[in-house]
Amino acid sequence: MFAFRLAAAVAALMTAVAVPAAAQPQNAVAPATIYGVWMNPYKSVAVRTGPCGDRLCGWIVWANEEAQNDARDGGTPRLIGTALLENYRAEKPGSWSGTVFVPDMNRRFYSIIQQVGPDQMKVKGCILGGLLCKSQLWHRIADVPHA
């Protein structure tokens, strides 16, 4: 169950949004290609990523019924619109560190995002100061699913 929750949180990070060059942070390390809509490997959550100040964030824009029910059971009453990826700071080209919110646990964990290709990103969530980590490969999607 923890792996599913962590995966859902990571998926929310990767939702696509077009951002004009002027709106990008001045100190951004990676190109705007990290911005967009991303689907988690379970195809249960889609996340739109974009700037939040000088950081990278991601908001849940779609979730299937099971993910929404799990989030409610965990204490997150409204999953759609929830910030899943919070305050990711560029560390090096294609890599960010921040916090991932796991809605069905109602908890935040240290996280690293690595863009491994134009349409793939790896989201890793960690506990115990980074000693135990779980990662997922998210895929860019062209459109938010319907229904």
Side-chain angles (χ1 to χ4, degrees):
M1 194 63 158
F2 172 78
F4 173 76
R5 293 176 183 158
L6 184 58
V10 172
L13 172 63
M14 296 309 188
T15 308
V17 77
V19 179
Q24 296 177 27
Q26 295 295 324
N27 61 349
V29 174
T33 57
I34 192 67
Y35 298 150
V37 179
W38 302 83
M39 180 71 73
N40 73 343
Y42 303 106
K43 297 183 177 16
S44 60
V45 175
V47 173
R48 179 176 311 275
T49 57
C52 52
D54 64 346
R55 304 288 173 101
L56 171 69
C57 293
W59 302 268
I60 299 173
V61 293
W62 176 85
N64 68 16
E65 197 61 38
E66 182 180 357
Q68 292 183 54
N69 289 336
D70 287 346
R72 268 192 296 277
D73 291 346
T76 304
R78 187 173 188 276
L79 189 56
I80 308 299
T82 297
L84 190 68
L85 306 168
E86 302 172 324
N87 298 313
Y88 283 78
R89 177 181 56 249
E91 296 291 329
K92 58 185 176 182
S95 182
W96 298 262
S97 65
T99 304
V100 63
F101 175 63
V102 181
D104 53 347
M105 297 176 71
N106 203 25
R107 294 190 55 200
R108 288 167 174 77
F109 298 95
Y110 172 75
S111 175
I112 297 171
I113 295 172
Q114 294 175 307
Q115 189 166 6
V116 295
D119 296 326
Q120 294 182 334
M121 74 172 177
K122 181 165 74 170
V123 180
K124 182 178 359 178
C126 302
I127 60 172
L128 300 174
L131 293 176
L132 297 173
C133 300
K134 173 89 174 164
S135 64
Q136 296 181 344
L137 193 60
W138 290 50
H139 291 83
R140 185 185 302 277
I141 57 174
D143 296 308
V144 174
H146 301 295

